[in-house]
Amino acid sequence: MQIDQTAVPKVHILMSTYNGEAYLQTQLDSLFSQEDVTVQLTVRDDASTDATVSILQQNMKKRSVTVIEGGNCGAARSFMKLIQAVPVENSYYAFCDQDDKWLPEKLKHAIQMLSEYPDTQPLLYYSDVRRVGADLEETEDPFHKNYHTEKFGAAMVQTAAPGCTMVFNHTLLKLLKSYEPEYLSMHDSWVLRVCAAVGGTVYFDPDAWILYRQHSHNVVGGEKKMTYSPIQLFAYRVRKFFDFSEKTGRIAEELKQGYEDQLTNEANEILELILACKKSFLARIKLFAAGNVKTGYLIQDMKFDTKVLLNHMWD
């Protein structure tokens, strides 16, 4: 399947909603104000109890919007269900949160970047974000670090790709549809790791094309921590350092099970080493010393190395 670069690009946007009535219409208006693209939106509502579904139904009357109503399964699994629901077409795909606001050039710019690569290989674009408050006012975020990961080894340490900025092609969508993991931390980290594991291209854009709204009900992020005192900020960072909730070993098992025949040699070697760590301290030492399983960012690498040596990659 080849994308016709002379035609107006079609982008299929995937949005998961849950009790998003406060900011949803602003986001929808920004999606359908994108420049030089044709937008189709599929929304899966995760059992909202407010007016979210009603707002979506009103937009269905005048815009290309499809709404899927389902049981509550959480944001990550809801996005995975969306991946299974949308068709593989001659188009691009984008994840979208319910409470942000996209700048008009967001999709156009992402497609310009992706169109420089062959669409026969998996392609994934993501960008930085412009953090704003609940009313879209500019904010200073002491937690924001503009680090990024494009290599598979670094992605197994920690992904740093906001799903709400991701745009990907039909080749990657096919791969994602072919296997749905039982263990899932977040949908965006899974998508990046799959793309990198099979030798796809991951492109990071340091410019920001969305207003990333921080408020008290964010699934990821939130405004409360931005008002911490220095002591609270230090305590928060210590808690985050010892938060080993993402199970790297489980992720390695899922990648091997779903894509073993498509992995690059390097990705396969890294996954085999991670899996050996479950029973071998020597393997954990080798993983600790592996230069290609590093992000290049000191704190992230120290945290991962601590998790490896303490063998907290499964429990």
Side-chain angles (χ1 to χ4, degrees), residues 45 55 61-62 84 87 98 124 142 167 193 224 242 278 286 288 299 309:
D45 185 72
I55 293 170
K61 298 176 182 179
K62 55 184 179 179
Q84 296 299 328
Q98 65 186 2
L124 173 65
V167 180
R193 285 166 174 149
K224 182 178 179 181
F242 289 102
K278 189 171 188 178
K286 289 181 179 179
F288 172 85
I299 298 300
L309 295 177

Side-chain angles (χ1 to χ4, degrees), residues 19 22 72 94 97 124 136 164 172 190 210 234 252 281 288 306 308:
N19 289 349
N72 185 269
D97 288 351
L124 173 65
L136 300 180
C164 55
L172 181 53
W190 174 254
I210 78 166
F234 175 77
F281 182 72
F288 172 85
T306 302
V308 169

Side-chain angles (χ1 to χ4, degrees), residues 99-119:
D99 45 11
D100 301 326
K101 181 178 180 179
W102 287 10
L103 300 181
E105 309 91 343
K106 179 199 183 311
L107 291 178
K108 175 178 70 173
H109 189 77
I111 291 171
Q112 286 174 348
M113 300 299 102
L114 292 179
S115 64
E116 297 179 3
Y117 303 92
D119 74 314

Side-chain angles (χ1 to χ4, degrees), residues 158-174:
Q158 180 177 344
T159 59
C164 55
T165 70
M166 285 183 168
V167 180
F168 51 98
N169 69 342
H170 60 87
T171 307
L172 181 53
L173 179 68
K174 288 180 183 178

Side-chain angles (χ1 to χ4, degrees), residues 11-26:
V11 183
H12 202 140
I13 300 174
L14 286 63
M15 174 192 284
S16 178
T17 57
Y18 178 72
N19 289 349
E21 64 179 3
Y23 310 114
L24 179 57
Q25 189 60 55
T26 297

Side-chain angles (χ1 to χ4, degrees), residues 37 47 51 68 81 85 97 113 122 126 148 181 189 221 234 239 252 262 268 274 278 289 312:
V37 297
I68 302 168
K81 290 181 180 295
D97 288 351
M113 300 299 102
Y126 73 98
H148 52 92
S189 59
F234 175 77
R239 290 196 304 272
Q262 302 169 74
N268 189 61
I274 291 173
K278 189 171 188 178
H312 283 309

